[in-house]
Amino acid sequence: MKKKRTVDDHLPLTHTTYYILLALGSSLHGYGIMQKVEEMSKGTVRLGPGTLYGALSKLEKDGLIVKVDVQERKKNYQLTDLGNRVIQAEYERLHELVERSKPYVKKLGEDLT
Amino acid sequence: MKKEKSCFRIFFAWQDEKEEQWLNSMVQKGWYFKGYRRGRYYFEQGEPADVIYKLDYKSTSNKDMEEYKTIFKEAGWEHVDSFLGWHVFKGKAGERFSETLYSDRESNAQKYKGLLLTTGLAFISGLSIATSLVFNDSVTNSSVGDFLKGFYTALLVLLGLSLTLIYRKYRRLLSR
């Protein structure tokens, strides 16, 4: 029996996982995901195939993405509702963290100059 | 007819990066890695080119082997050969999307975690065979027994050493 996991159990996401999930808002396959992630990250994240393969199998197992048929023998990946919820939750978490810490970080930053 | 050669070399699981460097030094001299069979590396001669070899360890079930190879192929990494869960990929300059197979520390550490689990499983199986049969004098008779005892001791020492060294590598990656 699989234990039921809540959205929060999937957090925090790694940089890589966050971008991969985000890329799968539309259904894509291997190289398409790599290009989309590179584009979204403005060239800062270039996925290695080992990293991508590992992430895809884990995300599929966790139910955050699913395989969808495109043609015979060719399959794409796509975000599930749960995956979408996880992205929303992670975005909120990061956003809150940045917002709440902003004045303190700014103040500390003044000490540096 | 292309020239071929083979050489004997022991591959230790915790030295995968060294192994890559060796394959890369071979290809710089024009020897392209073709496959690994029973401890021997096979090479074929060609023009030296900007080609690099990388090793991956796949610990998941092989049901999705086609999918696995496709993802690497689309990223410009051609599958050359595999042995005991290790897969050798070849990437040509201009074709490879990334210079490494793993683009972040976490996923690279995950690879060694898979390797640790498989090695750990082999160690436990070896240990249970050793304690229940090999080192049980009522089961094993003395002449065969001595050979088996020696063999299993060496095997368990090697597996134990692998576990320690792979674990250290894994920890280093996680804490860096």
Side-chain angles (χ1 to χ4, degrees):
Chain A
M1 268 300 275
K2 244 204 215 153
K3 227 169 64 187
K4 190 125 176 94
R5 294 171 76 188
T6 65
V7 169
D8 284 347
D9 291 336
H10 297 281
L11 305 185
L13 302 174
T14 66
H15 228 74
T16 305
T17 318
Y18 186 68
Y19 273 124
I20 293 174
L21 282 176
L22 214 51
L24 291 173
S26 49
S27 98
L28 285 172
H29 192 257
Y31 191 57
I33 301 174
M34 292 177 176
Q35 285 178 309
K36 184 90 178 276
V37 167
E38 192 189 14
E39 182 197 312
M40 285 190 308
S41 68
K42 308 233 184 291
T44 58
V45 181
R46 265 178 100 86
L47 291 178
T51 297
L52 179 62
Y53 167 79
L56 290 176
S57 19
K58 183 168 187 303
L59 290 171
E60 196 189 3
K61 209 174 86 195
D62 288 349
L64 304 191
I65 60 173
V66 279
K67 273 201 191 101
V68 287
D69 284 313
V70 189
Q71 294 153 24
E72 209 181 330
R73 298 195 53 184
K74 190 163 157 62
K75 285 191 167 54
N76 275 6
Y77 293 90
Q78 193 162 12
L79 197 65
T80 61
D81 273 355
L82 177 63
N84 196 344
R85 284 199 190 94
V86 168
I87 290 184
Q88 304 300 326
E90 179 68 343
Y91 178 83
E92 282 306 319
R93 188 186 70 83
L94 291 170
H95 186 69
E96 244 177 55
L97 188 70
V98 169
E99 282 302 309
R100 283 181 185 160
S101 61
K102 201 185 234 164
Y104 304 97
V105 175
K106 288 253 145 91
K107 195 160 177 296
L108 278 172
E110 286 163 14
D111 296 344
L112 286 175
T113 48
Chain B
M1 186 71 188
K2 277 181 181 163
K3 247 171 89 179
E4 287 177 21
K5 74 167 179 179
S6 72
C7 61
F8 175 76
R9 185 182 160 97
I10 299 175
F11 167 59
F12 291 111
W14 61 87
Q15 291 190 327
D16 53 333
E17 283 131 340
K18 246 193 182 156
E19 213 59 18
E20 291 172 349
Q21 285 161 14
W22 180 66
L23 291 176
N24 293 340
S25 72
M26 290 299 283
V27 78
Q28 276 160 24
K29 292 177 224 153
W31 289 106
Y32 285 74
F33 173 69
K34 285 292 149 191
Y36 178 88
R37 294 282 170 274
R38 282 177 244 109
R40 294 195 81 82
Y41 283 75
Y42 289 82
F43 295 92
E44 198 179 87
Q45 203 169 37
E47 285 298 306
D50 184 357
V51 165
I52 47 178
Y53 288 93
K54 289 275 173 198
L55 263 64
D56 187 28
Y57 183 76
K58 184 179 187 296
S59 54
T60 50
S61 137
N62 283 338
K63 274 187 293 187
D64 63 347
M65 191 51 77
E66 278 311 304
E67 174 71 0
Y68 172 74
K69 287 181 185 172
T70 307
I71 288 175
F72 281 75
K73 198 183 168 70
E74 287 181 355
W77 290 93
E78 185 194 327
H79 188 267
V80 185
D81 195 24
S82 60
F83 44 93
L84 296 170
W86 287 95
H87 295 263
V88 183
F89 291 93
K90 182 173 97 177
K92 286 193 191 124
E95 283 179 18
R96 48 182 195 251
F97 182 75
S98 55
E99 290 302 292
T100 52
L101 301 184
Y102 288 86
S103 46
D104 65 20
R105 228 168 5 94
E106 293 92 343
S107 58
N108 201 19
Q110 248 355 81
K111 170 183 73 185
Y112 292 111
K113 195 177 166 188
L115 181 59
L116 265 180
L117 290 175
T118 327
T119 315
L121 208 65
F123 183 76
I124 291 166
S125 324
L127 196 65
S128 55
I129 294 172
T131 49
S132 63
L133 297 171
V134 180
F135 288 91
N136 182 343
D137 288 335
S138 60
V139 179
T140 320
N141 79 46
S142 58
S143 59
V144 185
D146 285 344
F147 168 74
L148 280 178
K149 275 174 193 162
F151 176 78
Y152 270 89
T153 307
L155 182 75
L156 288 173
V157 167
L158 188 65
L159 284 173
L161 184 68
S162 310
L163 275 177
T164 317
L165 293 173
I166 300 163
Y167 182 71
R168 271 187 21 202
K169 214 167 176 173
Y170 171 65
R171 289 300 309 172
R172 252 207 316 274
L173 271 172
L174 278 190
S175 63
R176 192 180 289 158

